[in-house]
Every structure is written in C-alpha cells, then in structure tokens.
Amino acid sequence: MKSPGVRPGILPTVAAAACAAALLAACGSSVGAGSDVRQTDSGGAITIWVDPPRVPAAKAFQQAHPEIKVTVNQIDGTVGGKSLQQQFAQFNQAGKGWPDAIFFPSNDDIAWASGAQVNYTADLTGLLPDVIKGYQDEVIAPCTIDGKIRCLRNDAAPDVFWYNKAFFDQSGYTPPKTWEEYADLAVRIAKEHPGKISGFTGDAYAPDRYLWAAGCPTNARKSETEVHIDLADPKCVRAKELLAKVVQAKAVSTVGIFDADAAKVGKDLVMSPGAAWWGDYLFRQSWKIPAGQMTAVTPLSWQGESKPATGNEGGGLWGVSRHITGKQLENTLTFAKFVATDPRWQVELSTGLPAYGAVQDAWAAKQAKQDYFADNTTTFAAMKGATAFVQPDHSYLLYNTGSVWTETMAAGLASGKTVDQAWSGFGDELVKQAKAMGYTVN
C-alpha cells in the first residue's frame, strides 16, 4: 500500500505543474534520458531509496544478504509530492546520482520514472521473468507500460466490501451484493441509526473507491502523451448518482480516512468499500475497532453486470535503475526479488496483502492468528479474490486524480456543496491538470 498513515500531499497548482513538465522536457537531451546511456558497475555495492514504512524491508534484506554492501536512504513518503521527480531530472542532467532501486512514494511516480524524458526504470521483463510470472495479470498491470514491465508490485490493495458483522446481525441487515443495494442500505441505516456511516469521501483514495470501481474514465492512458477523461460517461454518471444519494442522506462522512478525526468517526463505520489493508492498518491499529466486528466480503457488482467491480487503493511499486550493469545490477535484482517475494518481508513484516501470489496464503495464515476479524475465512478469501475484479483501463499518470479530488470534490462536500455542485469543478480541474502535465485529452 502507499505509505499508510502518511496523508497524501496536495498536487501543485497548474503553474507549478507546468514548471515540472517543462523541467522534464528540458531533460530530453540530457545524459540519462536518452536510449544510449553508459551503465555503471560499482563492483556490487548498491544504493536503495525507501519511504519510512519500507525501511523494515531494506533492513530485512541486509540481514538476509550480509554479503551485499547496501546503502539505505530514507526518503519523504508523502503521496503526491513532486520533489522526487525534480531530483531525477537533475540526475539526468548530471548523468549520475540515481538510486539502484527505489520504492516510489506515489504510484503515479511510475509515469514519469518510465517516461521518455526521465526514463529511469529498467524493463524487468527479461531480467526477472520468474518473479513476474508470480503475479496475477491484474496485479502487475500498473507496471506494464507499452508492453514492458517497468516495476514490481509490493502489495495488492484491491477494494473489498467491509461491513460490521456484529452490527448487521444485531440490526437484522443483510450485506448488499450490488452497488445500488449498498446505496439504498446506506440511506436506510442513516435514517434508522443516525450517526452510523457507510463510507468516506474526504481522502485522495475516494475516487479509486468509487469512480475506479465504476469504470469511470479518469485515468485512461492511450499513449505516453494522450489520455481519455470523460466524466459524462455513463459509468461516471452511475458513480456520481450513487454518491449524490448517500451524501444527501448524510450516510457517508466527508472526512478522509487519514484525517485527525478519522479514528473517532471510524468507530461509527458500519460498511464501506475499502482496501484490503483497511482491516489491519485502519480498523485494528489506527481506529482500534474491537475484534470480532469487521469482516470483508467479495466486492459489489453493478446492476445488470455479472461480475463484481472494484478499484484499488495503493499497492506500492518498486523500481530498478536502467543505468547499472554487471555485479551492481545483479545485486539490485537480488534486492528487488527479495522485497517482492521473500516471506521474511512479505509475510513476517508487511501488513498489506502481498502482491506476489505465492506468499499470500502464508501471509493470511499469519494475520489470522490475531483472530481479529469476525470471519477470518471469508475476509482473507475476499482479499485474495478481489484482485481479479479491479477494473481495467486505469493507469498511473503524471497528474494525481486523488489530489484533484481532495481540492475539489472533498473540499466542496465538506463545505456543504452537493455532489452535483462539486462534480463539474472536479472534472474541469482534472482536465486542466492533465493538460498542464503535457497530455492531449480526448
């Protein structure tokens, strides 16, 4: 997952975004950006950049491989920040300075890191074929760019459907199966149990939770320079209508899941779509909801559709430098394989569902020993199965949809605007940001 507990940063203004785009464009002819680059070999020593939650991964690797000399640098884990992008542009100009491997604080970072102007990440297709085979297609999809695997997924973060089983059993409610049933039940619960809530709209993951799950084209990459955005698409309209219904009924909270008030509000959550990592990180560790209450089930489907449809909240990405060769590259690939697949990190230390399929069962077995969920079997089966239902045609891009959401939709709803009133501002700003980052929008 993307650095849980670190609140997403705010995307720069259009002017700042344009400056970032111009900075990257200026690097097009620099030493590191082109296809011809002199690869270095340190003799084996490697430098790794990680955000705070991934420091234990680096330490676990050092313990497992004392024969490899490793320098670990901790970097800012703020989601949506742009300073990292500018650093890499400067490395390209200097022709040196790149880390050998990195955990990207934002999944969106893969857009610039693999793009033609920065072109940092190595194509791992032929370098780690056995590791890549261990991922489901839907899980590795964010790393598959123009036919090349440009990163590895750390954890899978599909949205499942969470509900408070103790509350439902006591109140006589049945968990919904469709998104439309969810909206209807949310309104009913808000009326029958004032103060109980059925979701959150105030954080940068909310558009992933609702719009991505609806198949709404906000991040439809057509090429490196072209995207499709259409909030008038019927799949966007169904998400908007659902949100309008639950917001009007005060059935959802306008705070975000990382806000200061989230722990207090979260204790009144009775159901919601939400990432697999919500269970341990939000419910157990952060909000301290008592054990034996929360349970996850298969994501919801839309009326008229046979398969569930869900989004994804996070699921971090590891990148490897294309600027290295020889023993330096060999050791970096050993590190990449370790953090992606090794139980000493993925099972013993990671709180998120591993993206690498072969260790998911061992992770679930370890998590189940906490005996936290009302139904462990159903919850972990839902987490594993949900990855197949993440909606396609959604890429990580140079603009950050979540930050645009918090600046427009979330801010508007928190100030008392209706969904319809805030919606147009969200769409306009999304297109504006995409164009500012150099995309042609159709």
Side-chain angles (χ1 to χ4, degrees):
M1 80 196 111
K2 283 190 207 172
S3 305
V6 178
R7 295 179 61 187
I10 300 300
L11 194 70
T13 62
V14 173
C19 288
L23 175 60
L24 293 182
C27 300
S29 60
S30 63
V31 176
S35 57
D36 298 324
V37 60
R38 183 176 65 83
Q39 294 177 310
T40 63
D41 181 2
S42 66
I46 60 175
T47 299
I48 309 301
W49 285 14
V50 290
D51 66 346
R54 256 51 61 169
V55 170
K59 288 184 176 179
F61 175 76
Q62 288 175 302
Q63 223 174 10
H65 291 275
E67 76 282 5
I68 297 176
K69 185 178 179 181
V70 182
T71 299
V72 178
N73 290 336
Q74 184 173 314
I75 59 175
D76 182 9
T78 303
V79 176
K82 293 297 174 185
S83 61
L84 188 68
Q85 181 178 348
Q86 293 163 356
Q87 277 184 282
F88 275 72
Q90 292 163 0
F91 294 155
N92 277 10
Q93 290 175 326
K96 61 182 180 181
W98 310 276
D100 298 309
I102 184 172
F103 183 88
F104 292 112
S106 298
N107 283 8
D108 297 307
D109 290 333
I110 195 60
W112 59 258
S114 64
Q117 301 301 337
V118 173
N119 198 13
Y120 159 75
T121 53
D123 177 10
L124 301 174
T125 310
L127 295 174
L128 292 171
D130 291 340
V131 174
I132 292 165
K133 286 177 185 176
Y135 290 106
Q136 285 181 251
D137 290 344
E138 297 87 354
V139 175
I140 199 65
C143 292
T144 308
I145 301 170
D146 297 332
K148 299 177 180 180
I149 306 297
R150 303 296 290 268
C151 58
L152 297 177
R153 281 291 288 277
N154 180 71
D155 55 301
D159 279 351
V160 291
F161 189 75
W162 292 102
Y163 76 101
N164 187 318
K165 188 174 186 301
F167 173 82
F168 269 59
D169 290 348
Q170 182 181 3
S171 305
Y173 297 130
T174 300
K177 299 292 186 182
T178 69
W179 284 95
E180 290 81 3
E181 289 174 359
Y182 158 65
D184 289 341
L185 182 57
V187 172
R188 179 185 168 191
I189 290 174
K191 183 177 180 180
E192 296 176 354
H193 299 271
K196 296 297 183 183
I197 61 167
S198 299
F200 293 85
T201 62
D203 55 90
Y205 284 137
D208 297 342
R209 210 171 296 143
Y210 294 103
L211 306 193
W212 188 345
C216 173
T218 60
N219 289 59
R221 182 185 188 274
K222 299 307 175 186
S223 71
E224 188 173 352
T225 59
E226 185 178 0
V227 296
H228 174 53
I229 300 173
D230 182 9
L231 265 66
D233 184 283
K235 292 183 175 180
C236 297
V237 172
R238 67 185 181 183
K240 182 181 78 167
E241 291 176 346
L242 181 149
L243 286 167
K245 187 171 188 175
V246 296
V247 167
Q248 183 179 9
K250 295 184 175 9
V252 293
S253 172
T254 58
V255 306
I257 59 173
F258 298 131
D259 286 358
D261 294 336
K264 180 180 177 181
V265 176
K267 288 180 171 57
D268 287 319
L269 181 73
V270 293
M271 65 174 181
S272 179
W277 52 263
W278 278 29
D280 185 67
Y281 179 73
L282 280 187
F283 300 153
R284 188 180 72 85
Q285 295 185 44
S286 300
W287 298 351
K288 302 191 185 308
I289 295 174
Q293 295 190 12
M294 304 304 292
T295 283
V297 292
T298 300
L300 306 172
S301 59
W302 292 93
Q303 276 182 2
E305 297 181 3
S306 58
K307 287 179 61 177
T310 196
N312 182 92
E313 298 181 38
L317 310 178
W318 294 96
V320 170
S321 174
R322 73 181 186 93
H323 302 290
I324 54 178
T325 189
K327 192 67 176 177
Q328 188 177 357
L329 174 60
E330 179 185 329
N331 286 345
T332 303
L333 294 176
T334 299
F335 172 81
K337 182 177 180 179
F338 178 90
V339 292
T341 72
D342 199 289
R344 285 169 287 188
W345 159 242
Q346 288 289 4
V347 174
E348 296 303 319
L349 298 174
S350 181
T351 60
L353 174 71
Y356 190 71
V359 292
Q360 288 181 347
D361 285 338
W363 176 86
K366 183 176 186 294
Q367 293 286 314
K369 290 178 182 177
Q370 298 177 24
D371 201 24
Y372 175 72
F373 300 112
D375 187 331
N376 276 331
T377 301
T378 299
T379 296
F380 292 114
M383 289 180 185
K384 285 182 61 181
T387 56
F389 304 129
V390 174
Q391 294 300 283
D393 203 20
H394 186 105
S395 298
Y396 295 114
L397 301 168
L398 294 173
Y399 58 90
N400 188 302
T401 302
S403 292
V404 176
W405 176 278
T406 58
E407 293 174 338
T408 54
M409 283 295 295
L413 296 179
S415 69
K417 287 184 178 180
T418 66
V419 168
D420 283 340
Q421 289 170 335
W423 188 260
S424 60
F426 168 63
D428 290 346
E429 185 63 21
L430 196 63
V431 170
K432 198 175 183 181
Q433 294 282 7
K435 289 181 176 179
M437 296 309 298
Y439 289 110
T440 298
V441 180
N442 66 49

